Amino acid sequence: NTAADVTELSLAKIAKQEAEEKLKLAIDAADLGSYETNLETKEIATSHRFRKIWGLKEPVNRQRLIERLHPDDRFIRAEAHKKAMETGCNVSYEARIIEDDESVRWVKVKGKMFTDFENSPPSLIGIVQDITDQKLFTQQLKKLVKKRTEELDRSNDDLMQFAHVVSHDLKEPARKIKIFSDLLEAELSDNITPNSKKYIDKLQLAADRTIILIE
């Protein structure tokens, strides 16, 4: 008879199961879809949520995933995967999916390469998130900001035109006050009294200050 203490092995197995359950709960709570791609066989294992977001039924393959992408966004996926393969960094990109009814859905994809002992990348494990609502909100916000900016620009233009007209209308009487005070001073130059001279100087100074203020 033989015996072995497998307590540590059993505890490790339990801890692994608990970690997997917690990860699954976290992914479900975040409404994420998960996938795993065998980069040698190109086989893809996907969760139910992944297929729902992508609008696909089993079996899922690389070609079907690409066909669901918006034609203008397919190069984004290709570049993200190419960069990950060349540098070993994580896969990360956002793209549009075309639904069967021609509507558009935005997704964010994140994945990580896993390398085996031969230093080749046999698998890619990642998640996908539906970010359509976020994108729509961002687009609406941009439109609102653009609209408000255009309204502000029009308001500023109107204000500048108003200021130009008002400044012209205000400067004209100020100039006339100054001109006629100069004429009055010249006409009374021989008989002007000290008080009259002081009053005219104050009048001219006030006219000058008014013009400067308008400018």
Side-chain angles (χ1 to χ4, degrees):
N1 296 327
T2 59
D5 186 348
V6 295
T7 303
E8 291 185 3
L9 182 62
S10 296
L11 291 176
K13 184 177 180 181
I14 292 172
K16 179 175 178 293
Q17 290 174 344
E18 290 179 349
E20 289 175 349
E21 287 298 322
K22 289 179 180 179
L23 177 60
K24 185 177 183 300
L25 287 173
I27 290 176
D28 291 341
D31 207 19
L32 303 174
S34 60
Y35 69 96
E36 181 174 355
T37 303
N38 186 315
L39 297 177
E40 292 179 355
T41 64
K42 306 302 181 183
E43 294 178 349
I44 303 175
T46 60
S47 67
H48 172 72
R49 180 58 184 161
F50 180 97
R51 295 190 295 274
K52 184 176 180 181
I53 292 175
W54 221 271
L56 292 173
K57 296 181 180 180
E58 292 186 296
V60 177
N61 57 52
R62 178 173 172 271
Q63 186 59 35
R64 292 183 67 194
L65 290 176
I66 294 175
E67 288 173 353
R68 296 294 284 185
L69 288 174
H70 192 289
D72 294 341
D73 293 353
R74 291 173 185 173
F75 81 96
I76 297 175
R77 176 194 175 278
E79 287 296 321
H81 280 259
K82 180 181 177 181
K83 182 179 178 182
M85 292 291 289
E86 292 175 350
T87 64
C89 65
N90 295 342
V91 174
S92 180
Y93 65 92
E94 295 179 2
R96 291 166 292 178
I97 291 175
I98 304 298
E99 300 279 19
D100 292 333
D101 60 1
E102 301 300 322
S103 62
V104 176
R105 182 189 296 274
W106 277 92
V107 295
K108 176 186 286 186
V109 180
K110 285 185 173 292
K112 182 176 178 61
M113 299 284 186
F114 283 86
T115 306
D116 65 7
F117 295 108
E118 282 71 36
N119 199 31
S120 62
S123 62
L124 171 66
I125 298 177
I127 56 173
V128 61
Q129 180 183 14
D130 186 340
I131 58 170
T132 305
D133 292 341
Q134 299 175 27
K135 284 291 185 179
L136 290 176
F137 175 77
T138 301
Q139 292 172 358
Q140 291 173 355
L141 186 60
K142 287 181 178 179
K143 289 180 181 179
L144 179 60
V145 170
K146 182 180 179 181
K147 180 181 178 182
R148 294 291 170 83
T149 302
E150 291 173 350
E151 292 175 351
L152 182 59
D153 288 340
R154 286 196 296 269
S155 178
N156 286 339
D157 290 340
D158 293 342
L159 182 60
M160 290 297 294
Q161 294 177 10
F162 172 76
H164 177 74
V165 172
V166 170
S167 65
H168 178 271
D169 292 345
L170 289 177
K171 280 188 289 187
E172 187 60 25
R175 289 195 193 98
K176 288 186 176 180
I177 292 173
K178 185 172 176 58
I179 291 172
F180 283 107
S181 64
D182 289 339
L183 293 174
L184 181 61
E185 183 179 11
E187 187 172 329
L188 299 176
S189 59
D190 295 336
N191 301 313
I192 192 169
T193 63
N195 277 342
S196 296
K197 180 67 169 66
K198 182 176 68 174
Y199 297 153
I200 292 175
D201 289 343
K202 286 183 177 294
L203 188 63
Q204 291 177 335
L205 179 61
D208 288 338
R209 292 179 61 186
T210 300
I211 293 173
I212 292 173
L213 181 60
I214 294 169
E215 291 290 354

